[in-house]
Amino acid sequence: MLSIIPPDSTQAPLAEAAFSSWDATNFTLDWTTNNAAAYVVHFTQAEAAGSAQDFTSLTICTREQKAEIAARLADFAFSSPYGAEVRKWLRHGIGLHHAGLLPKYRVLVEQLAQAGLLKVICGTDTLGAGINVPIRTVLFTRLCKFDGRKTAHLSAREFHQIAGRAGRKGFDDRGFVVVQAPEHVIENIRLSASSPSASGCGHSTASERPRRRLPRR
């Protein structure tokens, strides 16, 4: 579960939306404070695009911000077949960034992010290398990726390179890095919370029963 605080802080309660890839994630993105914008890290281009689409169900920009985005996009040529999707996400304040996009779309995302108009950027780990995009929060959807031969954990260098995007030197006094737990860990926690033993009800376990002394022979 991903929770957000709307741009207009008078709009309580929190807006919530559940995504298949974000299930049981309990992190609040407050667009009114310093933990926006957020860079949501995926390790396939398809997952990044799917995440961008999911975020369109949330209200993360004010009307004024959407109007400014629309004005900046008015003269931009979304000429490729994929352009309509990119434009739709950008109008919601959501950027997509990965190596499979045309360079003009990547540059546009970077420019809008630098102007403070994008609140979420869904991308791959390529954004972590040498791109000037203001990011305050980095959210890892997982800590492993497929390298073409096998699935392996990120190296310390890879993790630090991506996580290091959180917070801009000279502008932010801190950054935020969040890692989603693996699905099986989340499911085990859910099962533990819903089991009778977790609530103190039901039969006692073997470890809770009194032990009986056996006579020596």
Side-chain angles (χ1 to χ4, degrees):
M1 185 69 70
L2 176 65
S3 302
I4 69 166
I5 296 177
D8 181 357
S9 58
T10 63
Q11 298 178 15
L14 297 181
E16 295 183 345
F19 309 119
S20 59
S21 61
W22 286 88
D23 196 18
T25 299
N26 186 19
F27 178 70
T28 299
L29 293 178
D30 185 352
W31 311 124
T32 65
T33 62
N34 284 337
N35 60 343
Y39 165 40
V40 185
V41 186
H42 299 274
F43 294 98
T44 69
Q45 297 174 6
E47 288 175 350
S51 180
Q53 178 60 37
D54 287 338
F55 271 108
T56 60
S57 63
L58 303 179
T59 302
I60 61 176
C61 284
T62 63
R63 291 182 180 179
E64 293 76 13
Q65 289 170 333
K66 287 184 177 182
E68 185 174 350
I69 292 173
R72 288 173 177 255
L73 300 181
D75 297 327
F76 190 87
F78 292 92
S79 53
S80 71
Y82 201 52
E85 294 293 310
V86 175
R87 177 172 53 191
K88 176 182 65 176
W89 297 327
L90 290 175
R91 284 180 174 270
H92 283 82
I94 302 160
L96 178 69
H97 198 290
H98 57 67
L101 284 178
L102 291 176
K104 67 176 184 177
Y105 294 145
R106 295 200 301 268
V107 171
L108 178 62
V109 168
E110 293 166 20
Q111 291 174 343
L112 292 175
Q114 290 166 7
L117 295 174
L118 298 185
K119 301 302 183 181
V120 174
I121 298 177
C122 301
T124 58
D125 51 323
T126 56
L127 185 62
I131 299 176
N132 185 22
V133 175
I135 296 295
R136 295 187 182 92
T137 303
V138 171
L139 296 97
F140 286 88
T141 55
R142 61 175 181 265
L143 290 178
C144 58
K145 67 177 182 178
F146 183 69
D147 62 5
R149 294 179 300 173
K150 65 182 185 305
T151 299
H153 286 93
L154 297 178
S155 66
R157 183 169 180 257
E158 290 171 326
F159 177 83
H160 287 135
Q161 184 181 50
I162 301 171
R165 302 296 308 180
R168 297 169 300 166
K169 185 177 181 180
F171 293 91
D172 301 318
D173 61 354
R174 69 186 64 185
F176 300 86
V177 179
V178 181
V179 178
Q180 180 188 359
E183 291 184 6
H184 70 276
V185 173
I186 298 171
E187 187 61 26
N188 288 340
I189 293 174
R190 282 178 168 175
L191 292 174
S192 298
S194 61
S195 65
S197 59
S199 59
C201 303
H203 300 290
S204 60
T205 62
S207 61
E208 295 171 337
R209 296 174 189 146
R211 295 183 178 180
R212 185 179 59 181
R213 286 181 173 271
L214 297 177
R216 291 184 178 179
R217 294 184 179 179

